[in-house]
């Protein structure tokens, strides 16, 4: 009986919310942020919110969260909105601005003046995505992605390759801002104090060099390929360089929980999968081991060395990969033996020179050389657009459609 009453109450609440959304005015000066459907304070939305707060701009900031633990991690100037609640239903339709980095649902009954900004969560990567992987994606995802792109007012791009990918694979024909990525602004700061602060939060001494292990998820769910001999790698790096080393383990959110428990954590093997902002981890790290993850490009734009370790390459564990995976001159390893050999011989300076030469000559799928839009001012540019919309200088796609 209690379940039936609760179900009725919930149904009635959403019915009232639907009527309220239809009658209520838009929540002006309200910005709603979403980081991969309820994740913590991170990625591009974080750096846009921080810029707004730092410059004392007249906005009320809200963040969609999936649980109370995540809500507790939000800074004091951002209020949580719990995903799937009546309040979430209302705010996703009445907020003046909705800033997200994944394929959220953009409601048909949103206010005409709501401005949607898609920041996405990857610069570009080795795995095919969106239209390029349409046959490998669930039908419901593809349908929502197409609808999402039709209703989005602005995509932001970090490079010309990124911009081309939007046009070619995201079913999007709207405006793209060549702003750079707000989350990449940190890479241009060269702030030693910030680096020390992040290390302190993780319990890492300032003189410790860091390797970050950041593999992506497998569509097959295979967990065996994630294992690497962390202790052996730390000992190898310390013996070779004469410096203190630690490994940060940062797994993709979609990786099964049992993989996290595959590692033994201590003062030099650091668990950071739940750390809300991977950009801070990439900023403080000196070397990366990854596989097909787009995070390798966070190191690329910082001119830091990357080792690609993909023991399941060509075995059907994930979506198809682009030709860039084989073409990029990062060291490629397909078993533990070759991984340890590369770690013992890698020359960061030579690799840096190879990468510069690669980017100077290599043409992407658009036939053009790589051009980065990152200059340390991406958040500023995005916020400038928000202010333009607030002042009525730019209309939403829905407003333009109404005028036709």
């Amino acid at each position: 009986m209690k379940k039936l009453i609760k179900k009725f109450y919930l149904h009635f609440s959403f019915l009232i919310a639907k009527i309220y959304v239809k009658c209520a005015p838009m929540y002006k000066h309200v910005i709603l942020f979403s980081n991969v459907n309820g994740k913590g304070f991170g990625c591009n939305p974080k750096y846009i919110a921080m810029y707004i707060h730092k410059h004392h701009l007249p906005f009320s900031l809200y963040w969609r969260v999936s649980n109370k633990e995540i809500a507790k991690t939000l800074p004091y100037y951002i209020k949580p909105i719990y995903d799937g609640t009546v309040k979430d239903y209302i705010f996703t339709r009445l907020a003046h601005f909705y800033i997200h980095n994944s394929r959220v649902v953009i409601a048909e009954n949103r206010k005409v003046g709501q401005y949607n900004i898609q920041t996405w969560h990857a610069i570009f990567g080795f795995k095919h995505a969106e239209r390029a992987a349409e046959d490998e994606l669930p039908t419901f995802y593809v349908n929502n992605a197409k609808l999402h792109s039709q209703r989005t007012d602005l995509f932001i791009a970090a490079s010309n390759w990124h911009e081309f990918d939007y046009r070619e694979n995201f079913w999007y024909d709207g405006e793209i801002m060549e702003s750079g990525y707000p989350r990449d602004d940190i890479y241009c700061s060269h702030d030693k104090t910030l680096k020390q602060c992040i290390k302190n939060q993780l319990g890492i001494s300032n003189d410790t060099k860091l390797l970050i292990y950041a593999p992506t998820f497998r569509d097959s769910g295979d967990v065996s390929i994630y294992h690497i001999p962390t202790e052996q790698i730390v000992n190898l790096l310390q013996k070779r360089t004469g410096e203190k080393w630690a490994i940060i383990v940062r797994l993709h959110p979609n990786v099964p929980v049992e993989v996290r428990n595959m590692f033994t954590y201590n003062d030099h093997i650091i668990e950071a999968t739940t750390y809300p902002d991977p950009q801070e981890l990439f900023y403080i790290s000196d070397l990366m081991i990854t596989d097909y993850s787009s995070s390798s490009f966070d190191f690329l734009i910082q001119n830091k060395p990357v080792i690609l370790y993909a023991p399941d390459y060509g075995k059907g564990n994930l979506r198809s990969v682009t030709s860039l995976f084989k073409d990029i001159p990062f060291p490629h390893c397909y078993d533990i033996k070759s991984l340890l050999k590369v770690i013992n011989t890698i020359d960061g300076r030579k690799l840096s020179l190879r990468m510069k030469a690669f980017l100077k000559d290599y043409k992407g799928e658009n036939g053009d050389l790589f051009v980065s839009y990152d200059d340390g001012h991406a958040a500023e540019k995005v916020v400038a657009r928000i202010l333009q919309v607030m002042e009525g200088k730019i209309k939403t796609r829905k407003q333009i459609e109404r005028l036709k």
Side-chain angles (χ1 to χ4, degrees):
M1 188 64 178
K2 287 184 178 179
K3 287 184 179 179
L4 188 63
I5 294 172
K6 186 177 181 181
K7 186 177 180 180
F8 174 78
Y9 175 78
L10 192 62
H11 177 77
F12 182 73
S13 298
F14 274 98
L15 183 63
I16 296 298
K18 190 173 182 180
I19 297 170
Y20 174 75
V21 165
K22 188 174 182 179
C23 302
M26 183 173 69
Y27 292 169
K28 288 192 174 182
H29 298 273
V30 167
I31 302 178
L32 178 64
F33 296 94
S34 176
N35 177 20
V36 194
N37 288 320
K39 299 295 182 183
F41 192 54
C43 202
N44 291 305
K46 168 185 174 176
Y47 291 90
I48 297 169
M50 287 175 61
Y51 185 91
I52 289 169
H53 173 69
K54 181 180 178 181
H55 292 84
H56 309 289
L57 298 176
F59 294 101
S60 296
L61 308 182
Y62 294 82
W63 198 279
R64 297 181 72 207
V65 298
S66 59
N67 58 60
K68 290 182 180 179
E69 291 306 310
I70 292 176
K72 290 176 184 177
T73 67
L74 296 177
Y76 71 91
Y77 55 87
I78 297 181
K79 297 175 182 178
I81 299 286
Y82 289 94
D83 186 23
T85 62
V86 171
K87 193 172 184 179
D88 181 51
Y89 178 92
I90 292 171
F91 270 75
T92 52
R93 288 152 177 81
L94 296 186
H96 196 165
F97 298 90
Y98 189 9
I99 301 175
H100 32 80
N101 66 350
S102 63
R103 292 298 197 178
V104 298
V105 173
I106 300 176
E108 171 62 28
N109 64 336
R110 70 196 184 281
K111 288 300 177 181
V112 175
Q114 184 184 91
Y115 195 79
N116 276 270
I117 300 176
Q118 173 58 262
T119 72
W120 205 235
H121 54 270
I123 304 172
F124 49 85
F126 300 125
K127 290 191 297 184
H128 284 122
E130 303 296 296
R131 194 206 304 266
E134 185 171 355
D135 293 340
E136 304 170 68
L137 295 170
T139 301
F140 75 86
Y141 178 90
V142 173
N143 291 339
N144 180 58
K146 291 177 179 178
L147 200 58
H148 176 278
S149 287
Q150 290 171 15
R151 295 175 178 175
T152 297
D153 296 289
L154 181 72
F155 269 66
I156 65 169
S159 71
N160 61 329
W161 288 3
H162 198 197
E163 188 172 358
F164 174 79
D165 194 32
Y166 285 154
R167 289 291 184 224
E168 189 73 8
N169 295 315
F170 279 65
W171 301 284
Y172 182 68
D173 61 0
E175 183 184 0
I176 298 174
M177 177 182 281
E178 299 176 354
S179 58
Y181 254 13
R183 73 181 199 186
D184 292 349
D185 288 348
I186 190 175
Y187 302 146
C188 302
S189 67
H190 306 295
D191 188 338
K192 291 183 179 180
T193 302
L194 176 60
K195 285 187 176 182
Q196 188 170 350
C197 180
I198 297 167
K199 282 187 171 183
N200 286 342
Q201 288 182 57
L202 293 164
I204 301 169
S205 63
N206 196 42
D207 62 341
T208 300
K209 304 276 281 185
L210 294 172
L211 181 157
I212 185 164
Y213 177 47
T216 190
F217 71 99
R218 279 14 181 219
D219 297 304
S220 67
D222 183 11
V223 300
S224 62
I225 44 77
Y226 293 107
H227 170 73
I228 60 170
T230 50
E231 293 288 349
Q232 190 175 354
I233 290 171
V234 168
N235 291 335
L236 196 61
L237 286 167
Q238 291 184 158
K239 184 177 179 181
R240 185 184 170 206
T241 65
E243 297 178 280
K244 287 172 60 178
W245 278 84
I247 293 179
I248 294 175
V249 178
R250 171 73 187 196
L251 303 173
H252 191 282
N254 291 346
V255 169
V257 176
E258 57 261 35
V259 177
R260 200 182 307 172
N261 300 329
M262 186 183 291
F263 301 93
T264 300
Y265 301 105
N266 48 45
D267 61 349
H268 54 274
I269 310 296
I270 315 296
E271 198 282 314
T273 296
T274 56
Y275 192 84
D277 188 355
Q279 274 59 53
E280 290 186 349
L281 302 179
F282 301 151
Y283 183 53
I284 64 172
S285 296
D286 304 283
L287 174 64
M288 172 181 280
I289 296 176
T290 186
D291 40 31
Y292 317 98
S293 173
S294 61
S295 60
S296 59
F297 295 93
D298 288 79
F299 263 52
L300 174 64
I301 60 178
Q302 295 184 81
N303 199 27
K304 292 180 179 179
V306 175
I307 300 171
L308 299 179
Y309 173 62
D312 58 345
Y313 179 71
K315 296 179 181 178
N317 273 349
L318 74 167
R319 292 179 215 150
S320 53
V321 298
T322 68
S323 58
L324 182 61
F325 178 76
K326 293 295 288 184
D327 294 341
I328 200 164
F330 291 145
H332 291 64
C333 307
Y334 303 104
D335 55 46
I336 293 295
K337 184 178 179 180
S338 60
L339 174 63
L340 295 175
K341 182 178 179 181
V342 167
I343 290 171
N344 201 36
T345 58
I346 190 170
D347 186 320
R349 187 183 63 82
K350 287 183 179 178
L351 181 57
S352 174
L353 292 173
R354 285 207 308 272
M355 288 310 306
K356 286 180 180 179
F358 172 77
L359 290 177
K360 183 179 178 181
D361 299 325
Y362 188 83
K363 293 184 178 180
E365 292 182 350
N366 61 346
D368 294 330
L369 299 173
F370 176 76
V371 178
S372 173
Y373 300 150
D374 288 323
D375 61 2
H377 299 282
E380 178 184 348
K381 294 171 191 174
V382 175
V383 173
R385 167 54 58 89
I386 291 171
L387 293 172
Q388 287 178 316
V389 174
M390 276 295 304
E391 294 165 2
K393 295 178 180 178
I394 291 176
K395 296 185 181 301
T396 68
R397 294 181 83 172
K398 200 170 183 179
Q399 286 173 327
I400 294 170
E401 288 169 7
R402 290 283 180 93
L403 294 173
K404 291 181 181 178

